[in-house]
Amino acid sequence: MTDRTWPDEKLVTAAREGDAAAITALVSGSYPHVRRFAHTLCASAEDAEDAAQEALIILYRKIGTLRASGALASWMFRIVRNECLRQWRTMTRRPEPIPDSAVASAEDEAVLRLEASRVAAVIAALPADQRRVLIMRDVQGYSGRMVAGRLGLSLAAMKSRLHRARATVQHQLRNPPRPTQERNGIND
């Protein structure tokens, strides 16, 4: 049966005072608990192991900042929770990797560049107030509240401009303007 008790307060106090052997014993004695916390909070086993390792590194580096020796368990739980949240945020912001087969030829690359320049041109043609909101929200990834605050708008006004900008971009991309035909003196 595994030991379910955290390292005692004497060990924590010695580690806080800089005793290297106590710090080593504290980190190794805390590992099973930190790992168990991480496995209950993180999305995957790999994330849990990473979070546990990060938490132990933080424990090693910042043990001197722990105010009460008896607060080790709650302090470590907060560190693990924050690390799991950080990993989740990082994971959700990562773009999906493009498979190597997605761009098979120079022709495909040229088409992708043309599409990107077409999207950029449609965005550039938006009214300035809509363009700023769209770029800050969808390109730079700022939260709606942050965009509204930075532009001095209410949240409702920001959402309205963003909706109009997105709708305009979608419409322009789905229905590109047709080139005008030169009549060259021919009457239709």
Side-chain angles (χ1 to χ4, degrees), residues 13 34 36 51 54-55 64 88 92 95 110 114 122 139 149 155 161-165 169 181 187:
T13 302
V34 169
R36 189 171 45 255
E54 283 298 319
W88 180 80
T92 58
L114 286 173
V122 169
V139 176
L155 190 57
R161 289 181 187 181
L162 180 61
H163 175 74
R164 286 193 309 265
V169 169
Q181 295 179 351
N187 292 330

Side-chain angles (χ1 to χ4, degrees), residues 7 9 11 18 23 34-35 44 46 54 56 71 81 101 112 118 124 136 139 144 157 160 169 186:
E9 288 189 42
L11 185 62
I23 293 171
V34 169
R35 187 172 181 267
S44 70
E46 294 83 16
E54 283 298 319
L56 293 173
R81 183 194 66 208
S101 63
L112 287 175
R118 188 169 156 236
M136 289 179 75
V139 176
S160 176
V169 169
I186 301 174

Side-chain angles (χ1 to χ4, degrees), residues 163-177:
H163 175 74
R164 286 193 309 265
R166 287 174 175 167
T168 301
V169 169
Q170 287 176 354
H171 177 74
Q172 291 295 323
L173 291 175
R174 287 185 184 138
N175 306 308

